[in-house]
Amino acid sequence: MTSVGAGQTLNIDQNTAQDNYIARDGGVLNASGASTFEVSINTGAQFNALGGTYSGRLGSAGIAVTNAAANVSDATVTGSRMGMFIGRNSGTTTGSTAVISGSRITGQTAGIETSGGSDIQLTDTHLSATGANGVGLSAFGAEVRAAGGSMTGGMNGIRLRPDIAGVGNGANVSLDNVLVQGLSGAAILANSGVNAQIRVLNGTQLLAGNNVLLDVQDASTATLSVEGSTLEGNINIAGSSTGNLTFDQGQMTGDVLVENGSTANVTLQNNSQLTGRLDKVNGVTVNSGSSWTLTGADTVGTLAMNGGTVRFGAQDVPDTFYQLNVGTLAGSPDGSSTFEMKGNFATGQHDFLNVTGVASGQFGLLVDASGLDALNPQQLTLVHTAAGDAQFALRGGHVDLGTWSYKLDRREVGESGTEWFLDPTTKTISPGAKSVLALLNAPVTLLYAEAATLRSRMGELRFNGGDTGLWMRTYGNKYNINAASGEGYQQTQQGLSLGADTHLGDSLWVAGIMGGYSHTNLDVAQGTSGTVDSYYLGPYVTWMDKQSGYYFDALLKFNRFQNDTKVGMSDGTRAKGSYDNSGISASAEFGRQITLGNGYYIEPYGKLSTAVIRGRNFDLDNGMEADGDRSRSVLGEAGTTVGRNFNMGNGMVAQPYVRVAVQHEFINNNRVTVNADNQFNNDLSGTRGVLGAGIAVALTKDLQVYAGYDHSHGKYIEKPYDLNVGARWTW
C-alpha cells in the first residue's frame, strides 16, 4: 500500500504499477489514466482522478472518501461490496464532498453509499448495484445532486435513510434527466424514519420492478417535487409515513396508495396532469390549468381548486361512472375550476361529486356530450353538498345529448344541503340537430340564387338582342333563416356561372346552356357550421317579340351537392358528418317590356319556379342519425321592372333599372327525422317582398357588362343582399 501524508502530493498514471493507495491529513493524490486497487482518502485529503480504473477487493470499495474530498472524471470504479463510499468517520459531523462526472461506478450492495453531512455532485455518471438486494445510490443523510446518467439496483434505484447518528438534514436528492431503476423493487425507497426531499426534474425516469416509483416506509416523511417529467407507476405511503407530492409541469399515470395511519397530500400546478387513484389522500390541490383524472371511486379529505380540472374518468372510457367523496371543497370565486363528468339519461348512471362537509367557491361542470338520444330521460344528480355556499354551472349553459340539449337545475335537500341535477324538462334542440336541419334545408335557397344569375342574363338579351355569345356571372348572397322555419341559421354563398347561347335561325327563340359552381357556408351558432359545394348544369331558352315586347324565359337545371357539417358540442368536442345528393329545378317566366317615352320602359312579369332535392340518410361521427325526406319547393313571383336606356355616344348604352316583386313559397312541409324518433319540418312557406336594382352597360357592340343587387324579406327568410356582376361577349 502506498501512503500520501500531510504536505505530500503523489501523481500516478497508466504507467504506474497497480497498488492500494491511502491519502490522509491533507495529502493529495492525483491519478491520470491509472489502474489501481482500492483508493482510500481520509481526514482532509484530496483525490483527483481523470480516467483510469479503480477496483476494490475483499469487501472494500473501489474508492472510499471519508471526511475528505474527491474530484473524479471519466473513471471506472468497482468494488466487491460498494463501488464508492462517500461519508464520515464515527464521531465527526463534516462528512465528505465529491464531484463525479462521466464515470461508471459499480458495486454489489451499492453503486455509491453515503453518510450524513456529505455533498455529492454527479454528472452523466452511471451507478449500479448488481446484488439482488443492491441499491444504485444508498444515501444516509447526504445531499446528492445528479444530472444525466443513471442509478440502477437489483432491488432499488435509490434508497434514502437518515444518518445513523442524525448528522445532516435528512437525505436529499435532486435528479435532472436521470434514469432511476429498481429491478425488483421500488425506484426510490425512503425508510427508517428519514426526512427526504426529492426533486424529479426535466425528463427524469423512475422505473420499478414492483411498479412503485416511490415507497415511503417506517414513519418517514418524503417531499417529492416532479417538474418537467412524466412518471408511470404508483406511489406508496405506509407505516405511519407522510408523503407531500407536488407536480409542477409534471405528469403521472398511477395511483397514490395511502395505508391507514399514513398521510399524503398532492398538489398539481402549472399545467400538470395526474391520472390515477388518490383514495385516502388527505389533501388534493388542483391549480393553474392542471388536471386530475380519476380511474376509480375515491375519497379525499380536502379538495382545493383554483383554475384546475377534475375529470371523472378518461373520455375514451365512456361507460364507466365514478363517485368522488370530498370532505371539504374549496374553489376560487371566478369559476375557473371545472369538474368533467359523464351521465346516461337512459339508465340513470352518472358521475357523482359528494361533498360531505362544507363546499365554497364557484365551479363549472362539463358533462360529456353525445349524438345519441336519451331513452326515457330522468333527472341526473351530479353534485351534492352538505353545507356551504358553493355554486355550480354548466360550461356552455347546457349538455348536448342527441337531438336535445339539457340545462342544470338545483334543489335544497335536508337542513343545509344542495343538489345540482340535469333536468329533462328544460330540453331544447341541440346544435347537432340544428346542423342537420340547416344542411338539409340549404339547397332550396342556394339553387334559386344560382338561377338568378341567368335571369339577369335574360334581361341582357332583351336589352341587346339575341346574337350568339358567351357570358359569365360571379355572385354572392346571404340568407337569414328564422328559427320558426325549423331551426335558424345564416347562409352565405359565393359562386360563378358561365354560359353560351345563340339565336335559333330566323325564329324568335334563343337557346343556351349554363353551368357553374357555388360554395355556401352555414353558420348555425355555438361553433356549429356547415358547407355545401354545388355543381350545376342546365339548358335554357328565351322567346322575344320585339314588336309587342312580350317575352318568355325557361330554365331546367341539374345540381350535385357535396354537404359537410361540423358541430361544436357542449363539452368542447366536435362532431362531423357529410353526404352527397342531387337536385333538379325548373323555372318559367312570362312578361312584357312596354316602351315608354324618352327611353323609359316598364316590364311587368310573372314567374313560377319549382325544385326537388333528393332525400338522404346520413350519420354524424358522434352517433347522431339524420333522415331527410325529399325536399320540395314551388315558388311563385310577380313583379315589375322599371328602367331607362341612356345613349352615351360612341355606341355605348346604359340601362339602369329598379325592380319590385312579391314571392310566395307554397310548400310548407319538408320533413326531417333525427335519431329515428324526432321529426322536424323545414318550412320556408309564406310571402316575401323583393326589392332590386342594377345596371347593364353596352360598352361596344360586342361587349356588355352588368351589375345587380337584390334584397328580400319574408316571414321565415330574409335575404339582406344578393350581389352579382358579369360580362357578355357576342359575335
Side-chain angles (χ1 to χ4, degrees):
M1 175 180 288
T2 301
S3 178
V4 182
Q8 295 180 324
T9 298
L10 176 64
N11 299 317
I12 61 176
D13 59 23
Q14 66 270 19
N15 297 316
T16 305
Q18 283 188 317
D19 198 357
N20 294 321
Y21 291 88
I22 183 168
R24 61 168 63 91
D25 302 325
V28 178
L29 176 61
N30 298 317
S32 178
S35 178
T36 75
F37 299 129
E38 178 184 354
V39 174
S40 181
I41 311 298
N42 297 319
T43 56
Q46 174 74 42
F47 176 51
N48 301 308
L50 177 60
T53 59
Y54 308 88
S55 304
R57 299 176 298 168
L58 302 177
S60 62
I63 299 174
V65 184
T66 309
N67 297 107
N71 193 325
V72 178
S73 299
D74 302 320
T76 300
V77 184
T78 59
S80 58
R81 189 165 67 89
M82 66 190 74
M84 285 187 70
F85 173 76
I86 304 170
R88 63 179 184 83
N89 287 315
S90 178
T92 64
T93 60
T94 57
S96 298
T97 62
V99 178
I100 305 169
S101 64
S103 298
R104 291 187 173 273
I105 303 172
T106 304
Q108 179 73 16
T109 60
I112 290 180
E113 184 174 301
T114 78
S115 59
S118 296
D119 187 282
I120 298 100
Q121 174 69 55
L122 304 173
T123 304
D124 296 329
T125 293
H126 300 274
L127 312 182
S128 60
T130 58
N133 295 315
V135 179
L137 170 66
S138 185
F140 290 70
E143 184 84 29
V144 180
R145 297 174 303 281
S150 63
M151 301 176 183
T152 304
M155 180 60 69
N156 305 117
I158 297 174
R159 183 183 181 187
L160 303 175
R161 294 187 293 176
D163 181 85
I164 194 170
V167 176
N169 297 316
N172 304 325
V173 61
S174 175
L175 306 167
D176 189 334
N177 192 27
V178 179
L179 171 62
V180 179
Q181 183 171 16
L183 294 178
S184 61
I188 301 176
L189 171 64
N191 67 351
S192 302
V194 71
N195 185 352
Q197 305 283 332
I198 307 163
R199 296 186 70 194
V200 176
L201 312 174
N202 302 323
T204 289
Q205 298 180 67
L206 304 183
L207 305 178
N210 63 357
N211 202 39
V212 178
L213 307 180
L214 171 63
D215 195 1
V216 187
Q217 299 280 353
D218 307 330
S220 297
T221 297
T223 300
L224 172 68
S225 177
V226 179
E227 305 170 40
S229 297
T230 299
L231 307 181
E232 293 189 16
N234 299 328
I235 293 175
N236 186 50
I237 314 296
S240 301
S241 296
T242 299
N244 297 310
L245 317 175
T246 299
F247 293 81
D248 191 321
Q249 288 191 334
Q251 298 184 34
M252 175 174 156
T253 300
D255 302 334
V256 178
L257 308 171
V258 184
E259 185 181 77
N260 289 337
S262 294
T263 300
N265 297 285
V266 176
T267 298
L268 305 175
Q269 61 192 30
N270 201 10
N271 299 302
S272 294
Q273 299 177 23
L274 190 149
T275 300
R277 300 286 307 280
L278 297 182
D279 198 36
K280 300 179 184 178
V281 170
N282 296 71
V284 178
T285 301
V286 187
N287 292 337
S288 56
S290 299
S291 65
W292 168 31
T293 301
L294 281 70
T295 57
D298 276 343
T299 298
V300 300
T302 299
L303 175 60
M305 302 176 67
N306 185 7
T309 298
V310 173
R311 187 174 295 117
F312 285 68
Q315 289 185 339
D316 57 356
V317 190
D319 296 326
T320 56
F321 304 95
Y322 301 126
Q323 177 169 326
L324 174 61
N325 299 310
V326 178
T328 301
L329 175 65
S332 57
D334 61 0
S336 59
S337 302
T338 302
F339 292 94
E340 294 188 7
M341 313 178 85
K342 304 177 297 298
N344 188 325
F345 263 166
T347 64
Q349 294 176 290
H350 56 89
D351 294 322
F352 183 53
L353 171 64
N354 179 37
V355 183
T356 58
V358 175
S360 60
Q362 298 189 19
F363 304 88
L365 301 181
L366 184 63
V367 182
D368 275 4
S370 172
L372 302 177
D373 279 2
L375 301 176
N376 302 317
Q378 54 188 290
Q379 292 180 357
L380 298 185
T381 302
L382 302 178
V383 180
H384 170 268
T385 60
D389 59 358
Q391 298 295 321
F392 295 85
L394 287 174
R395 295 290 187 227
H398 61 273
V399 179
D400 302 330
L401 297 174
T403 310
W404 309 104
S405 297
Y406 302 88
K407 293 183 179 180
L408 189 71
D409 204 349
R410 59 174 286 173
R411 57 176 167 245
E412 305 302 320
V413 292
E415 293 185 2
S416 57
T418 307
E419 290 182 345
W420 282 264
F421 60 95
L422 292 182
D423 188 352
T425 66
T426 63
K427 71 178 184 180
T428 56
I429 300 176
S430 69
K434 292 178 182 179
S435 73
V436 166
L437 294 173
L439 207 60
L440 291 169
N441 198 35
V444 172
T445 51
L446 69 87
L447 62 81
Y448 283 153
E450 293 165 350
T453 63
L454 179 64
R455 191 181 191 285
S456 64
R457 165 66 184 137
M458 299 299 197
E460 282 185 342
L461 290 174
R462 293 189 291 276
F463 176 34
N464 291 299
D467 294 336
T468 299
L470 301 173
W471 59 272
M472 64 171 289
R473 290 282 186 277
T474 181
Y475 54 93
N477 56 69
K478 180 178 182 179
Y479 284 90
N480 297 323
I481 309 300
N482 192 294
S485 69
E487 191 50 53
Y489 61 92
Q490 292 184 334
Q491 169 185 316
T492 56
Q493 180 185 22
Q494 300 84 37
L496 175 69
S497 294
L498 301 170
D501 45 47
T502 186
H503 205 286
L504 298 180
D506 295 331
S507 70
L508 301 179
W509 292 90
V510 173
I513 188 168
M514 70 170 292
Y517 163 79
S518 72
H519 177 80
T520 300
N521 290 310
L522 306 177
D523 182 1
V524 190
Q526 298 177 344
T528 297
S529 61
T531 61
V532 182
D533 290 302
S534 172
Y535 303 86
Y536 52 91
L537 182 70
Y540 61 89
V541 295
T542 184
W543 172 84
M544 300 173 293
D545 184 351
K546 286 285 188 179
Q547 291 184 345
S548 65
Y550 287 105
Y551 70 90
F552 172 77
D553 300 331
L555 166 68
L556 179 64
K557 184 160 68 74
F558 302 91
N559 281 72
R560 183 67 177 173
F561 304 110
Q562 295 177 347
N563 309 271
D564 293 276
T565 186
K566 296 179 180 179
V567 180
M569 303 181 70
S570 58
D571 60 357
T573 61
R574 293 185 71 84
K576 299 179 181 179
S578 62
Y579 67 96
D580 294 349
N581 65 337
S582 56
I584 184 171
S585 59
S587 65
E589 178 178 333
F590 180 76
R592 182 184 183 190
Q593 187 175 98
I594 302 171
T595 302
L596 305 176
N598 204 24
Y600 287 97
Y601 70 91
I602 185 170
E603 189 176 271
Y605 69 93
K607 182 179 180 181
L608 184 66
S609 303
T610 185
V612 178
I613 293 98
R614 179 188 174 192
R616 276 298 304 266
N617 300 333
F618 73 101
D619 300 334
L620 302 184
D621 60 8
N622 65 351
M624 178 174 285
E625 299 176 351
D627 181 5
D629 283 357
R630 180 182 296 135
S631 296
R632 297 162 296 120
S633 172
V634 176
L635 183 68
E637 180 177 342
T640 298
T641 301
V642 178
R644 183 183 182 188
N645 295 324
F646 290 92
N647 190 335
M648 303 173 65
N650 297 322
M652 295 179 61
V653 179
Q655 186 189 72
Y657 71 88
V658 294
R659 178 182 300 116
V660 177
V662 175
Q663 295 178 338
H664 186 84
E665 173 61 67
F666 294 92
I667 301 298
N668 61 4
N669 184 21
N670 287 313
R671 187 171 62 88
V672 177
T673 303
V674 181
N675 285 348
D677 298 320
N678 304 290
Q679 291 191 1
F680 300 90
N681 179 28
N682 276 332
D683 180 7
L684 296 179
S685 64
T687 302
R688 313 161 195 168
V690 180
L691 177 64
I695 187 171
V697 179
L699 299 177
T700 67
K701 179 182 177 182
D702 302 325
L703 176 62
Q704 297 86 42
V705 294
Y706 172 87
Y709 165 84
D710 279 346
H711 170 85
S712 65
H713 187 83
K715 178 180 179 182
Y716 293 144
I717 184 170
E718 177 193 18
K719 182 168 64 174
Y721 66 85
D722 185 348
L723 299 170
N724 70 89
V725 296
R728 180 204 181 204
W729 296 267
T730 61
W731 59 87

